[in-house]
Structures are given as C-alpha cells and as structure tokens.
Amino acid sequence: MELSGFENEWEGLTSGEKTMFQKCVRIMLKKTFIVYDKGEEEKKEYFFISKHSDIFSRYLCPIGYDVLVDRDNKVIMLQNTVSAGESSKMQINRCNLSLADSIVLCVLFTIYSDRVRHGSLAESIIISITDLRFQFEKYKVQDRFEKKGELSETIKKLERYNLIEMNGKLGEADTKIKIFPSIQFALDANEFHLFAEQAEKRMFTKDLQSQDIDLENEDGEGFDDTDE
C-alpha cells in the first residue's frame, strides 16, 4: 500500500522529531501563534515548524487550517485554509472578544504600530502600564478600566494567545508589557478602523463640550444654538 504525502513524511521523522511535531501541533491549536521572541523553547518550536511547515500544513488541512510562517516578523500562526471558498469556510480559529478585550487589543496594536513606524528595530515592543493607561486617556476610554479586574482578565486572555506578555503585576510601578509582532495578525482591520473612528468621534464630542464650558465660564452665560 502506497503511503500518502503526510504519512511518507511522518515516517521520515526521527522519534524525537515526532515528539516535537506532536508538541507543536498542540501548542498551535491552543495558542494560534508561536513567537520566536518569547523564549528559548519558543525559538526551538519556531525553527522546527519553519523547517517542516509543509508537513504541518498537510496534517492540519483536513480540519481547515494552514500554517503560515512569517519570517520577517518571526511569527508562526494558524490561519483558515485559503483553498476553501469564502462561503464554505468554517468559522474556526476565531476568539470572541468582549468590548474591553477589543479596546485593549486596539490600543496595544496602535502602540506597536506607532513604535515600529518611528524606527523601533526590536522584534517586540516593551511598554509600561503607565504607557498603556496614557493611551486609554488619549482615546477617552480610561473609565472603562478603573477596576483592575477587567484589565487583568483581558491581559491574561491576550497572553494566552502569545500576543503579549506581562512581567510583573498590575499596580506595580516597574511592571512591563511586551507586545509581540503577532499582534498585527490578530486584529481584524475593519474592527480596528471602527474603534479608531469611534474614539475620534468621542474625543471630538468631548472637545466641543469642553469649549462650551469655557465659553459659559467666560461670558457668564451659555449660548443658544437652536434655530429661530
């Protein structure tokens, strides 16, 4: 009996390579992303999958996945099989995010993009909790995260998918967040643009309200902008 492409390649792996293959498949199914810059184990996983990406894709294709290796950013990710038609594509490899999750993800993505655009050569971007809260204030969403619990849960969720890594605890001055390059592949472009538009409208509205208050304080009374 002739072996299939996957079976033939599988038989060509050593015992150690088979164990590593099984480990990497489980990690990808659980975390979606493998990031070279996270640690020594992740470096080994990255190089192994990069070397054997075809066999990983052949193995995962029947359940609707491709394995994408982005060597520029040193990120490996699962993505929906591109050979399937858009209408028949299963909604797999999707994580439902709460509003808080989406806000934090968009803010982190904005920070990452801005740092890269201004010449940061680091594979990952490291920020402080203060940097994150400054961005919350910039987009007028700081009230959403007055309680540490909601922000903590969101950070844990993003860590689970190898998008970020927090070193320290919320509330500690020296706590840092490492933003991995994988974040640029995790965010739907339409979702980000919607967030940016809503944030811009929110800032514009608050600026107008501030101007109205200033005018009222200066003149001693408000003004009526209704049509006569």
Side-chain angles (χ1 to χ4, degrees), residues 139-141 197-206:
Y139 290 109
K140 312 298 184 185
V141 295
E197 289 174 4
Q198 291 175 341
E200 185 176 355
K201 289 178 182 177
R202 191 180 299 113
M203 286 187 286
F204 179 71
T205 301
K206 292 205 172 187

Side-chain angles (χ1 to χ4, degrees), residues 63-118:
I63 59 172
Y65 287 124
D66 274 336
V67 174
L68 176 63
V69 180
D70 189 309
R71 290 180 171 81
D72 291 334
N73 292 283
K74 294 185 178 179
V75 173
I76 289 171
M77 72 195 86
L78 286 182
Q79 63 177 10
N80 288 329
T81 306
V82 296
S83 59
E86 198 67 35
S87 60
S88 62
K89 193 180 293 183
M90 296 175 61
Q91 291 301 307
I92 56 177
N93 200 27
R94 294 286 185 264
C95 175
N96 292 325
L97 299 178
S98 67
L99 176 59
D101 298 337
S102 297
I103 290 172
V104 175
L105 182 58
C106 287
V107 167
L108 289 169
F109 174 80
T110 301
I111 294 172
Y112 181 88
S113 300
D114 185 64
R115 296 283 179 91
V116 170
R117 188 164 53 249
H118 286 83

Side-chain angles (χ1 to χ4, degrees), residues 4 11 31-32 37 47 49 53 55 60 62 71 96 110 129 135-136 147 152 185 191 217 224:
S4 67
E11 290 303 318
K31 295 180 175 291
T32 302
D37 196 33
F47 283 124
I49 297 172
S53 59
I55 185 173
L60 293 166
R71 290 180 171 81
N96 292 325
T110 301
I129 292 295
Q135 292 297 319
F136 288 162
K147 296 180 180 179
S152 178
F185 304 105
E191 183 179 9
N217 290 337
D224 188 356

Side-chain angles (χ1 to χ4, degrees), residues 135-151:
Q135 292 297 319
F136 288 162
E137 293 176 4
K138 176 182 175 181
Y139 290 109
K140 312 298 184 185
V141 295
Q142 68 273 20
D143 294 346
R144 178 89 197 185
F145 301 100
E146 286 182 349
K147 296 180 180 179
K148 294 180 183 177
E150 190 166 25
L151 180 57

Side-chain angles (χ1 to χ4, degrees), residues 11 13 27 39 41 46 51 63 69 71 77 81 85 104 108 123 138 149 162 169-170 175 179 183 211 223:
E11 290 303 318
L13 297 178
I27 291 172
E41 282 302 310
Y46 173 86
K51 182 179 178 180
I63 59 172
V69 180
R71 290 180 171 81
M77 72 195 86
T81 306
V104 175
L108 289 169
E123 293 169 356
K138 176 182 175 181
N162 283 337
K169 296 180 180 179
L170 285 176
T175 294
I179 310 175
I183 199 166
Q211 290 174 23
F223 62 93

